[in-house]
Amino acid sequence: MNDVANQTPNPAESPSQRTMRERLGDMLSRVQEAWSGRELRRTLEELKATGDPQVSDVEGGRRAARVAAWYAGASPEARRHCWQLMSEQFAPDVSALESARQAYEAAIGTPEEASAEVALRRAFVTPRTRLLQRFAVFPEGMRFLIDLRAEILPELKRDKRLAALDAELEQLFSTWLDVAFLDLQRISWDSPASLVEKLIQYEAVHDITSWADVKNRLDDDRRCYGFFHPRLPGEPLIFVEVALLRELAGAIPPLLDEHADAANLQKANTAIFYSISNTQTGLKGVSFGDSLIKRVVEELKREFPQLKTFATLSPIPGFRAWVGKQAGELVDSMADKPRRALERELGEPVSAETVLARLQTAEQVRALPEKSALRAWLLRAGARYLGRATTAGGRPQDAVARFHLGNGARVERLNWLGDPSAKGIRQSYGLMVNYLYDLGKLDKHRAQLASGEIPVSGAVESLQD
């Protein structure tokens, strides 16, 4: 397999024009094409040997380790060929699936129903599933697969043949990395320096700017937790940062103020989750189960039984882009009274263009006074975005909203200039949102979401109209 790294791609060949099966069967006389086909077959043989159901998982893991060692030195082109082989040559056996499905349907209501169901379930285990599971056997295999998916993700739009491989990896990660199988550890200023450095490196919500900043986040009135998997020792998968307060937090600067007085932990009744960071690009979109927040809540309640309120202070990353596309509809749907107030403030007729022009710079947004009609228009837009905007599949349009609402939270409160930083203005005109985790209503909120209704508080609902 070492020779695959040296192969030279044919510039005249387009991956979208010819499938991998056609490449493998092609007997073109050109030397370069024949050489490439020979190396592809050798790579395929190595992959098939790794996933061979006749060998033990231990032996399959040894073979997977050899493939991973080759892959580490392979060229980008050779790696792409490897992805395509994994995706196209290890697909489900459609005839076996259909046969198992028919047998199960015929067995429903008979004593053979259970065994037919078992056979159907086994038919759904694809050769690709078995191959990828073999990579998870050897000690560095999980790391290899996560990095493999990180490489694939940017290629999905231009090479849709990789979609099956990506979907299989995502499904396996969702099973292997469920929060129930992860170890929760508190990260403090006394933790190993390597862990603190990783927190600085992976913080994805609010950049850590200095050692004083990170020390503030790890202070006694804060809690920071990392989720770890046994197969990835010392490598946190998720960081969760929490502030302990006496009320809902409405802005991020006070939470990040290095000179602020420490909170009185004996009087704290509210836990604010202000940053949740997935540290691994290859785990993008992977659900860690709906118990992630619950695990942290349980840990907090053990240490601080007086805590009653659990909420987030979250960014709204897709809001400004959405406003840019929906400004016309948002303006057209205004009632007469707020429209007249906005016209007086702008000094001209209200239109999508005039509104967006007035909100163009960060200085203009930050300067809007409390009773500004334009500020009220933005808050109304924010309430509509979080409470009504959905994808074609009916899911909340905002990625952060999907995570928290999917975990059973509700949209509790919008916060004007919650994040006045340049990043905050660029993403959401500075708006932030509190998602409330009412522990007695998580299932109710999930059921609402499943039925197509986004759970919001009365205050947010009143802002929508």
Side-chain angles (χ1 to χ4, degrees), residues 244-434:
L244 302 173
L245 307 171
R246 296 186 65 184
E247 60 184 359
L248 283 182
I252 198 65
L255 298 185
L256 303 183
D257 184 357
E258 302 161 14
H259 305 290
D261 293 335
N264 186 334
L265 294 184
Q266 302 307 314
K267 296 183 178 180
N269 58 21
T270 302
I272 297 293
F273 298 81
Y274 65 92
S275 179
I276 301 176
S277 299
N278 180 340
T279 69
Q280 307 297 317
T281 303
L283 298 180
K284 181 179 180 180
V286 173
S287 170
F288 289 94
D290 62 10
S291 59
L292 186 151
I293 297 293
K294 284 183 182 178
R295 285 279 302 277
V296 179
V297 167
E298 289 168 359
E299 184 70 19
L300 288 168
K301 284 183 74 68
R302 274 194 291 270
E303 189 175 2
F304 306 103
Q306 77 276 14
L307 291 176
K308 303 298 181 185
T309 302
F310 300 89
T312 76
L313 179 61
S314 299
I316 316 174
F319 176 56
R320 183 162 182 163
W322 179 83
V323 168
K325 296 176 182 177
Q326 300 295 322
E329 190 278 330
L330 291 167
V331 166
D332 292 343
S333 63
M334 292 181 71
D336 289 341
K337 185 177 179 179
R339 178 186 291 274
R340 290 194 298 270
L342 187 53
E343 285 181 347
R344 288 195 297 271
E345 184 172 321
L346 296 177
E348 58 184 322
V350 177
S351 68
E353 291 74 22
T354 57
V355 168
L356 293 176
R358 188 62 62 92
L359 295 170
Q360 190 170 7
T361 68
E363 290 73 20
Q364 289 170 310
V365 175
R366 295 191 188 104
L368 292 176
E370 184 176 354
K371 296 188 180 300
S372 162
L374 186 52
R375 173 169 165 168
W377 182 87
L378 260 182
L379 286 169
R380 172 175 173 264
R384 286 196 170 194
Y385 175 65
L386 293 172
R388 297 181 184 177
T390 58
T391 65
R395 304 173 69 202
Q397 190 154 328
D398 188 80
V400 177
R402 283 197 298 273
F403 174 79
H404 289 296
L405 296 174
N407 279 325
R410 79 176 183 190
V411 183
E412 184 67 10
R413 189 178 76 182
L414 275 170
N415 299 292
W416 178 257
L417 283 187
D419 184 0
S421 69
K423 179 181 178 180
I425 299 293
R426 185 172 63 251
Q427 288 186 336
S428 62
Y429 293 110
L431 264 65
M432 296 192 79
V433 58
N434 299 118

Side-chain angles (χ1 to χ4, degrees), residues 384-397 405-406 409 411 443-456 461 464:
R384 286 196 170 194
Y385 175 65
L386 293 172
R388 297 181 184 177
T390 58
T391 65
R395 304 173 69 202
Q397 190 154 328
L405 296 174
V411 183
D443 290 338
K444 175 186 175 181
H445 292 156
R446 275 194 289 264
Q448 279 184 256
L449 190 65
S451 67
E453 178 186 356
I454 296 177
V456 300
E461 186 173 7
Q464 295 179 9

